[in-house]
Amino acid sequence: MEWMQILALIAGGMMLFAIWPMYKNWRANPVEAQPGDWSTAVFLLGLVLLFVLLLIWSVQ
């Protein structure tokens, strides 16, 4: 293994160590979806799609 791969593994382990307490909290207290959540998610996905299409059209 090269030193960059070793550093990447160490960084990944540190991220998992930092995220673990919040993960346990989310598992114990899940967030329930509200009635307007899906429309907001679809709107945001539509904005991302339009942005990607704008990028594609700009390079043609």
Side-chain angles (χ1 to χ4, degrees):
M1 289 179 90
E2 293 183 13
W3 65 274
M4 285 291 284
Q5 292 175 333
I6 294 171
L7 286 178
L9 286 174
I10 291 171
M14 289 172 57
M15 276 195 287
L16 288 176
F17 180 74
I19 291 174
W20 186 254
M22 189 55 68
Y23 172 74
K24 288 192 330 186
N25 184 26
W26 287 335
R27 293 287 291 172
N29 305 314
V31 177
E32 298 294 327
Q34 300 299 320
D37 287 346
W38 281 111
S39 62
T40 303
V42 170
F43 176 72
L44 291 175
L45 287 173
L47 285 178
V48 170
L49 178 69
L50 287 175
F51 180 69
V52 169
L53 287 175
L54 176 73
L55 290 174
I56 291 171
W57 286 331
S58 69
V59 296
Q60 287 183 352

